[in-house]
């Protein structure tokens, strides 16, 4: 299907969504780009203005108290409605996303399913009542010297949330992705600053969400999406006093700029920015096999390396012990060709970062390259080099890996200590083959890595993040701006909530969700003990 | 007992506690002051240096991994040991606190009990396993198209926490107060920057905690306390890269300075600062009785008004409807004398703030005053004045109240909308007497106040915060720097934790607390459903 045909079929208008209506931005135009060819796609999209941002903030503020009062069942219906809409439109969504991102069809089909699956997972948790965070301390009228009042606590939505879509996941981390799903699950209105790398997908997804919002009779400000400049529209949204929190997935410079803008407001707000990670992998001697070397390259090159959880750095024993792993990895990588990258800007940054890294070590393998699909690359250096120059571990977004060779445990630990906070950290060990001291080191490393990362993997690869209740996709700064949270999985709902306590509020004045009969149907903590309905 | 006798009995040495040992600060000296007389008390206390701060940070960093690995039972034993120590020394502690703070004996006795009670409450929650935050998503090896890995999630301590003691609660918000208790419960080492308003109490309490730490064989850096300048030692602690979070209770300027210091670090850290609140009280016509007017004054003057939850602002119907409340409040306040305030600095700030406020409205009552016990005061203005000049609602720390008279619901709502974030917000209504529209307004107000405050009270007074599981002592900025949290009650433990997930980690490499047998004994979320042991 040609680009024009896709656009026609999708009936793309090039508009943003403000207060339930399509509105064409007048701050310039932008087009989607066929990642594989560089061809500029139909239609032209209008870029939103600061006024559009202000109007969206006003509509979101109007929606906030309505959503806050909406029962869990309503929020769940919204999430499920969006999930159904995405699945129903999957074919059309994937077609447009293939053009705009250059990502393979199978990956995109899977990503739509992951996105709708996450929405349904959150719906289930909301329906269970667990996301209400109920805590009850009953009154003790006879307590001496003073009676104890009754306290009922619940978690309430923070209010309007601005979500910045990511280029590398047009579905899972964009308009109806993780941050949007968790904010809506919490009861927060969402304004998405759509990513310009996939404007068509952003419009298609937004149209689905807006339709569901309208069908359920929810306020028009429940979900809005603006295509616009990050510097103009993005900053205006973050600075708007009606906005109460920000979710972001992208570059470190972009994330830190939002953090700065948010904290310089008269009333600062939280920014959850997922920024950068090289996802270190420690290979212990027993595991330095050719098979794992090839598996490392598979993980490294997946999606052209355009994953936040791409294993960009692997620590391999020096000398003979590490040779099978490194030789096989180099051989496997050399046999692979580059893949189309998401945007020209990302490609240019990749090529520059890849070549700069090669200058800091020795390039031990290079794959095949083309103009729009630059070659993957593997560079080797000594673990001690990282201690001398921690910038060696700066993320290169794309299919470049750094192999650091370590001589002994001391060198390995020094290299790990030189790393900044990470999303993931991985250990490879063959427990059947490893001698006792290596098994013991592996156990120690698991403990040590707790300080470094939000997710610890053993004998697997970090790329690919399960959507579930127990996952953490977060980590210490600068992997994220706030390591107390996760951007994937149901725990993410809590990042958009705050606790409120109600003291001695008579039944007649309590919000419906906190009255006796409503509470009895929900899981809760009563005097510190879990009570299930 | 004379001041000298108290000091002798307590064997005060004037030292700080670094790495398990007493150490005399060499950056100058400070003395406790008898709040009632201004007499300078024995002994002289040495002020800690920046080097002391660095040494404490080093010891805390050394303690951190040991505490992180300590089982819940060990953390609970620490909390209970401190609680027992406080109760055993209560007499001595209260004697010294009376001198240093001028607070009445009964209040201080109660405060020690509240402090030990909070430690025991946290111990119970830690023992229950709820504070571990376990979530398990079991592996699905047969899932298509790809198997699901196993994920185990738990909450880990952030690492060393710096706690700034508060002047107005020498026990409950100071060395072994809420922030220390919640940080230790989370498994974080604590360094307290002791408050100079009660250096003797700080030393006595710290000696108790240090003794318990030593007796349990915990690392010397588990608890440390430095008496020193906030600008020097406090800032040095917040800036130290080994410190991972900050708890603070005090002035807005002090809290905001720490927030700035923390966010300008290369690796920013969270600051939980509880700063200021006037705790607005809305009186509806049915409740504008003389009895409630007198009760308001009792709450306003409690502890010389030196509570974060002091009701400094009351919104009363204008005209005849509000007269019984206002007249009775004025009469009650005029009959009361001032009380000794905590420090000369607080007294001076109170007098200045009280008189400035009087200049902005009409003073309708003044109590008796003395040099060290300045007069309480009640000032009246129109609710509309607040909308024109929001600074009317700035906190005056002490026994001064502002009565704002509102004419209709629109005026009332406009005044509430002009307020900044608060710790508490209260509604008074007589549900038996109120007409339907007033009952309905009361219910609406409860909902509206959710956006304003962390705790909503009906027909009670905000002063006094229950220690429990359902309480929230927190609120939107600037009541606190982070409205997603509480500084009182067991939810506070979570502010010093972060989630970490373990993916496919074999039993042999898992931390002991995450192995199958350990998990079976704990409450947990399995695939999103609560499972109790």
């Amino acid at each position: 299907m040609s680009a024009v045909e896709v656009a026609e079929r999708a009936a793309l208008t090039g508009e943003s969504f403000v207060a339930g209506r399509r509105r064409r931005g007048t701050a310039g135009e932008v087009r989607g780009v066929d990642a594989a060819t560089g061809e500029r796609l139909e239609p032209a999209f209008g870029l939103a203005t600061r006024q559009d941002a202000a109007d969206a903030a006003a509509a979101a503020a109007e929606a906030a108290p309505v959503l806050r009062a909406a029962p869990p069942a309503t929020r769940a219906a919204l999430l499920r409605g969006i999930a159904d809409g995405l699945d129903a439109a999957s074919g059309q969504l994937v077609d447009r996303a293939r053009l705009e991102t250059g990502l393979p069809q199978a990956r995109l089909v899977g990503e739509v399913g992951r996105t709708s699956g996450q929405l349904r997972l959150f719906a289930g948790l909301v329906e269970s009542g667990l996301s209400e965070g109920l805590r009850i301390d009953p009154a003790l009228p006879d307590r001496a010297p003073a009676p104890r009042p009754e306290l009922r606590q619940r978690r309430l939505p923070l209010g309007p949330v601005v979500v910045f879509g990511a280029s590398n996941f047009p579905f899972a981390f964009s308009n109806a992705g993780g941050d949007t799903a968790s904010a809506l699950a919490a009861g927060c209105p969402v304004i998405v600053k759509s990513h310009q790398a996939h404007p068509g997908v952003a419009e298609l997804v937004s149209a689905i969400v807006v339709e569901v919002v309208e069908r359920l009779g929810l306020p028009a400000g429940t979900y809005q999406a603006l295509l616009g400049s990050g510097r103009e529209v993005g900053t205006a949204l973050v600075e708007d006093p009606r906005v109460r929190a920000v979710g972001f997935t992208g570059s470190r410079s972009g994330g830190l700029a939002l953090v700065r803008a948010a904290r310089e407001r008269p009333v600062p707000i939280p920014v959850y920015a997922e920024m950068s990670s090289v996802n270190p992998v420690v290979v212990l001697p027993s595991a330095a096999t050719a098979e794992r070397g090839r598996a490392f390259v598979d993980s490294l090159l997946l999606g052209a390396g355009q994953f936040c959880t791409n294993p960009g750095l692997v620590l391999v024993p020096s000398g003979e012990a590490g040779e099978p792993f490194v030789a096989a990895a180099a051989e496997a990588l050399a046999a692979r060709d580059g893949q189309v990258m998401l945007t020209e800007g990302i490609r240019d940054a990749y090529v520059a970062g890849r070549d700069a890294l090669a200058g800091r070590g020795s390039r031990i393998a290079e794959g095949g390259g083309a103009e729009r699909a630059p070659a993957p690359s593997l560079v080797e250096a000594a673990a001690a080099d990282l201690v001398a120059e921690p910038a060696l571990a700066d993320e290169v977004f794309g299919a470049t890996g750094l192999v650091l060779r370590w001589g002994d445990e001391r060198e390995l630990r020094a290299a790990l200590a030189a790393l900044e906070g990470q999303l993931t950290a991985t250990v490879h060990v063959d427990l059947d083959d490893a001698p006792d001291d290596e098994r013991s080191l592996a156990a120690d490393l698991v403990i040590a890595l707790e300080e470094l990362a939000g997710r610890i993997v053993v004998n697997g690869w970090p790329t690919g993040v399960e959507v579930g209740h127990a996952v953490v996709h977060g980590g210490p700064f600068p992997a994220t701006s706030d390591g107390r949270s996760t951007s994937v999985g149901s725990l993410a709902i809590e990042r958009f909530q705050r606790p409120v306590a109600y003291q001695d509020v008579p039944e007649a004045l309590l919000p419906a969700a906190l009255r006796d009969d409503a509470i009895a149907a929900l899981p809760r903590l009563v005097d510190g003990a879990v009570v299930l309905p």
Side-chain angles (χ1 to χ4, degrees), chain A:
Chain A
M1 188 163 19
S2 77
V4 174
E5 284 170 329
V6 168
E8 279 172 354
R9 181 173 157 200
L12 290 171
T13 64
E15 290 162 306
S16 288
F17 295 82
V18 179
R21 300 186 172 278
R22 288 176 183 264
R23 181 193 290 190
R24 187 168 189 89
T26 57
E29 286 188 344
V30 70
R31 279 168 190 266
V33 174
D34 184 332
T37 64
E39 180 197 356
R40 289 153 60 80
L41 300 168
E42 292 299 327
F45 290 79
L47 290 171
T49 64
R50 284 181 166 263
Q51 184 60 49
D52 296 331
D55 292 347
E62 207 171 305
V66 182
L67 283 188
R68 193 170 83 223
T74 302
R75 282 178 274 143
L78 173 61
L79 297 167
R80 289 191 197 282
I82 300 169
D84 293 346
L86 292 177
D87 285 346
S90 179
Q92 181 191 18
L93 295 173
V94 167
D95 282 346
R96 180 74 191 187
R98 274 179 63 202
L99 284 175
E100 290 185 336
T101 66
L103 294 168
Q105 167 125 359
R107 143 75 197 269
L108 290 167
V109 169
E111 195 185 322
V112 172
R114 170 202 179 83
T115 307
S116 58
Q118 174 153 284
L119 288 156
R120 291 195 186 96
L121 181 93
F122 287 7
L125 197 79
V126 167
E127 282 164 339
S128 79
L130 284 168
S131 59
E132 308 304 293
L134 281 184
R135 291 170 165 234
I136 317 286
D137 292 343
L140 299 175
D142 300 328
R143 189 185 65 174
R148 184 172 87 165
E150 182 202 65
L151 281 162
R152 301 185 180 205
Q153 182 189 115
R154 64 167 167 171
R155 293 200 294 257
L156 287 178
L158 291 179
V161 171
V162 171
V163 172
F164 287 79
S167 63
N168 59 339
F169 282 89
F171 304 110
F173 288 85
S174 288
N175 293 65
D179 281 338
T180 297
S182 48
L184 292 176
C188 299
V190 169
I191 306 169
V192 180
K193 214 293 281 172
S194 304
H195 203 288
Q196 296 191 20
H198 48 257
V201 174
E203 184 183 328
L204 294 173
V205 170
S206 295
I208 290 168
V209 180
V210 167
E211 189 274 324
V212 177
V213 167
E214 190 177 348
R215 178 154 42 85
L216 293 175
L218 290 169
T222 299
Y223 171 90
Q224 303 172 91
L226 300 177
L227 191 72
S229 143
R231 197 163 297 184
E232 284 290 312
V233 169
T235 306
L237 287 170
V238 172
E239 290 174 348
D240 193 287
R242 293 162 290 201
V243 167
R244 300 301 164 85
V246 177
F248 170 89
T249 306
S251 70
R252 193 190 297 197
S253 59
L256 293 181
L258 295 181
V259 168
R260 272 193 303 275
R263 73 191 189 190
E264 279 159 18
R265 294 163 45 120
V267 175
I269 55 173
V271 173
Y272 301 102
E274 191 220 302
M275 299 186 289
S276 60
S277 183
V278 290
N279 304 295
V281 175
V282 177
V283 176
L284 295 179
S286 65
T289 62
E291 187 187 352
R292 297 201 199 219
R294 287 187 289 270
F296 160 64
V297 169
D298 284 343
S299 181
L300 177 69
L301 303 196
L302 198 67
Q306 300 166 124
F307 283 97
C308 349
T309 51
N310 188 42
L313 188 154
V314 58
L315 290 142
V316 183
S318 60
E320 278 307 310
E323 225 32 54
F325 181 99
V326 176
E331 186 183 326
L333 187 132
R336 299 281 289 271
D337 286 331
Q339 301 160 66
V340 169
M341 295 193 77
L342 292 160
T343 70
E344 290 169 7
I346 287 173
R347 178 201 61 193
D348 293 346
Y350 167 71
V351 169
R354 177 194 68 186
D355 295 345
L357 183 65
R360 288 171 161 164
S362 29
R363 178 174 273 165
I364 56 173
E366 190 171 19
E371 190 200 338
R372 311 196 74 80
S377 161
L378 203 57
V379 172
E380 190 179 69
D385 295 346
L386 175 67
V387 178
E389 188 181 0
L392 252 185
D394 285 354
E395 185 182 14
V396 177
F397 191 74
T400 274
L402 174 64
V403 179
L404 291 181
R405 308 293 294 266
W406 54 276
D408 56 21
E409 184 183 332
R410 193 190 47 76
E411 268 189 29
L412 173 61
R413 286 183 182 269
L416 290 172
L419 289 172
E420 298 180 298
Q422 304 287 335
L423 293 172
T424 74
T426 299
V427 177
H428 275 267
V429 58
D430 186 330
L431 287 177
D432 295 329
D433 275 4
D436 281 354
D437 59 344
E438 188 183 314
R439 292 166 61 105
S440 155
L441 171 60
D444 287 356
L445 285 175
V446 167
I447 304 280
L449 296 177
E450 289 172 347
E451 285 201 58
L452 187 65
R455 181 165 56 103
I456 298 165
V457 182
V458 170
N459 290 336
W461 301 99
T463 311
V465 182
E466 276 300 321
V467 175
H469 301 285
V471 72
V472 175
H473 189 59
F477 186 93
T480 74
S481 57
D482 187 340
R484 294 165 295 173
S485 185
T486 174
S487 63
V488 175
S490 64
L491 188 68
I493 298 173
E494 294 182 22
R495 55 167 49 188
F496 295 120
Q497 297 177 312
R498 50 179 272 263
V500 173
Y502 302 75
Q503 180 172 324
D504 280 341
V505 178
E507 183 82 359
L509 301 186
L510 275 172
L514 282 176
R515 290 184 202 137
D516 289 345
D517 56 342
I519 281 182
L522 294 173
R524 58 207 183 272
L525 205 64
V526 178
D527 264 337
V530 176
V531 175
L532 299 176

